[in-house]
């Protein structure tokens, strides 16, 4: 599963190879309640086919209609704005008078989309600079944490996985988690020293690293754009890796397991050189309580919690697995919500 950004670029490259005229549309600025964030992209071909989204459908309809009526007429990049007035906001379906500014770029071989995709296939983080006056494109390495930059002269967009996710364990749950995370722009690394799990790995886009997880955590030099999820249920593999991850700047560290096992894990981790503040960063039982049972549902639960933390969203305590299960037990008039399941 590719991210939407990558799907758009691949579609553009295919159209260029086929000799079809096309444009790449990028959201470069928003005001008010815009349905799509800055950096969102849309590809539109001369026959009105599209890939991606810049507004959730309303502005796309106008862009498609213009292409079908006039064809691809831009010779150079153009900046356009939708939704300045209340009437326009109503016409284009923008909520609460929201306004978006778009860069419309006519594509050709000189747009270097193929070169960009080649670099992205090597998991590189790439900055693509578009000269707004000439349409010339240059590619270069992007810094971790770099965001889109817009000036009167140029638009620089950042492509490639901007977040890293280390998954410890190569089981079925890890496969679902990895597939979804790739679509969310994570560079996913799976670590498992157990040969039987590596041999049955089924996600070709993600390589399983044969190493001890704690060694890999150190080697990866985790930063504030990194997350670690331990899914093996094996303390020999999970605990040391969690210890190293909790001492790192990683924005999210979580481990699967029951409430009872989570309590035991915290007691074990106290024996290592971890502070109370370090232990407080551990998410476990992992995920949000959504009644998940299957591996696919559990993967969604984990990524929902991880996404909330990444985006700085404070979730109600009732959505945590431990608290939700305690509440469910109390509602069923059980004598205790002890950590036994």
């Amino acid at each position: 599963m590719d991210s939407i950004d990558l799907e758009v670029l691949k579609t553009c490259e295919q159209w260029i190879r086929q000799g079809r005229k096309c444009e790449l549309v990028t959201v470069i600025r928003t005001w008010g309640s815009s349905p799509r964030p800055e950096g969102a992209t849309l590809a539109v071909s001369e026959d009105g086919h599209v890939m991606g989204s810049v507004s959730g459908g309303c502005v796309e309809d106008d862009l498609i209609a213009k292409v079908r009526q006039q064809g691809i007429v831009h010779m150079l990049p153009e900046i356009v704005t939708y939704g300045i007035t209340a009437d326009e906001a109503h016409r284009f379906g923008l909520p609460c008078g929201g306004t978006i500014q778009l860069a419309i770029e006519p594509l050709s071989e000189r747009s270097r989309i193929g070169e960009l995709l080649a670099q992205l296939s090597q998991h590189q983080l790439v900055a693509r600079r578009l000269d707004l006056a000439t349409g010339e494109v240059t590619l270069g390495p992007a810094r971790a944490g770099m965001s889109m930059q817009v000036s009167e002269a140029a638009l620089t967009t950042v492509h490639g996985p901007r977040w890293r996710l280390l998954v410890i364990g190569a089981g079925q749950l890890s496969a679902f988690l990895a597939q979804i995370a790739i679509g969310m722009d994570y560079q996913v690394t799976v670590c498992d020293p157990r040969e039987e799990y590596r041999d049955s790995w089924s996600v070709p886009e993600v390589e399983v690293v044969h190493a001890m997880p704690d060694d890999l955590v150190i080697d990866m030099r985790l930063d504030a754009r990194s997350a670690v999820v331990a899914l093996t249920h094996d303390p020999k593999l999970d605990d040391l890796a969690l210890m190293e991850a909790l001492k790192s700047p990683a924005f999210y560290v979580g481990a699967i397991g029951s409430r009872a096992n989570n309590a035991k894990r915290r007691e074990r981790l106290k024996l290592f050189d971890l502070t109370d503040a370090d232990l407080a960063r551990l998410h476990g039982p992992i995920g949000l309580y959504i009644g998940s049972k299957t591996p696919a549902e559990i993967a969604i639960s984990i990524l929902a919690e991880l996404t909330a933390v990444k985006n700085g969203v404070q979730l109600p305590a009732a959505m945590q697995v431990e608290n939700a299960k305690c509440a469910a037990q109390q509602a069923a008039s059980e004598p205790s919500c002890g950590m036994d399941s």
Side-chain angles (χ1 to χ4, degrees):
M1 179 190 297
D2 291 329
S3 68
I4 294 298
D5 177 55
L6 194 56
E7 288 286 357
V8 169
L9 292 174
K10 286 183 175 180
T11 300
C12 290
E13 197 268 341
Q14 181 181 12
W15 287 341
I16 293 170
R17 282 192 290 104
Q18 294 172 345
R20 297 164 69 180
K21 291 183 177 180
C22 56
E23 295 174 333
L24 178 63
V25 183
T26 305
V27 178
I28 60 173
R29 193 174 179 187
T30 65
W31 297 266
S33 302
S34 174
R36 298 288 285 134
E38 295 177 0
T41 56
L42 166 78
V44 56
S45 68
E46 58 187 339
D47 51 6
H49 287 88
V50 298
M51 170 61 72
S53 174
V54 292
S55 75
C58 41
V59 173
E60 285 88 339
D61 291 342
D62 186 66
L63 293 169
I64 293 167
K66 287 181 178 178
V67 166
R68 286 178 172 169
Q69 292 168 8
Q70 306 169 14
I72 302 291
V73 297
H74 295 98
M75 300 299 292
L76 293 170
E78 180 181 355
I79 306 299
V80 299
T81 304
Y82 282 91
I84 294 178
T85 67
D87 287 342
E88 286 176 316
H90 177 73
R91 175 188 171 195
F92 295 116
L94 294 170
C96 305
T99 301
I100 61 173
Q101 193 171 61
L102 309 174
I104 301 178
E105 175 192 356
L107 298 179
S108 65
E109 291 290 347
R110 72 172 188 161
S111 303
R112 306 182 70 176
I113 300 297
E115 294 177 57
L116 174 59
L117 286 170
Q119 294 184 32
L120 295 181
S121 70
Q122 301 298 316
H123 305 293
Q124 298 179 30
L125 190 60
V126 184
R128 179 178 185 267
R129 183 184 186 277
L130 171 67
D131 189 305
L132 296 175
T134 67
E136 292 293 328
V137 170
T138 55
L139 303 176
R143 304 183 309 275
M146 181 178 175
S147 58
M148 183 179 65
Q149 300 173 5
V150 185
S151 68
E152 293 184 1
L155 165 64
T156 301
T157 49
V158 181
H159 303 270
R162 276 155 271 186
W163 300 86
R164 293 190 295 167
L165 172 61
L166 172 60
V167 181
I168 301 170
Q172 186 181 37
L173 172 56
S174 300
F176 282 107
L177 189 74
Q179 290 179 79
I180 302 171
I182 290 171
M184 297 170 66
D185 263 347
Y186 282 90
Q187 179 180 342
V188 181
T189 301
V190 174
C191 177
D192 202 320
R194 301 169 298 181
E195 183 177 356
E196 63 273 21
Y197 283 89
R198 298 197 309 274
D199 289 345
S200 60
W201 181 249
S202 59
V203 185
E205 300 93 339
V206 178
E207 179 184 3
V208 181
V209 178
H210 179 199
M212 289 304 295
D214 54 317
D215 291 335
L216 185 58
V217 168
I218 295 172
D219 291 343
M220 286 183 64
R221 298 183 180 181
L222 302 176
D223 56 22
R225 302 176 73 81
S226 303
V228 177
V229 175
L231 302 179
T232 73
H233 290 283
D234 185 344
K236 296 188 300 295
L237 298 178
D238 288 346
D239 284 7
L240 291 177
L242 291 171
M243 177 190 71
E244 297 296 342
L246 288 170
K247 292 189 292 185
S248 79
F251 76 89
Y252 181 93
V253 180
I256 199 168
S258 68
R259 289 170 287 165
N261 285 337
N262 177 66
K264 294 175 183 176
R265 176 186 296 116
R266 292 178 183 275
E267 290 301 318
R268 291 194 303 269
L269 289 174
K270 286 181 181 179
L271 301 177
F272 296 111
D273 185 22
L274 292 175
T275 66
D276 290 341
D278 292 333
L279 287 172
R281 297 180 57 226
L282 177 63
H283 294 268
I286 199 171
L288 300 184
Y289 186 72
I290 57 175
S292 52
K293 300 293 184 182
T294 67
E297 291 176 344
I298 296 170
I300 291 171
S301 166
I302 293 170
L303 286 168
E305 182 179 53
L306 190 153
T307 301
V309 174
K310 176 174 74 75
N311 293 337
V313 175
Q314 295 293 325
L315 294 169
M319 295 189 69
Q320 296 177 357
V321 171
E322 181 177 331
N323 295 334
K325 288 190 173 182
C326 283
Q329 289 179 354
Q330 288 176 342
S333 300
E334 294 191 13
S336 164
C337 65
M339 303 171 73
D340 56 359
S341 64

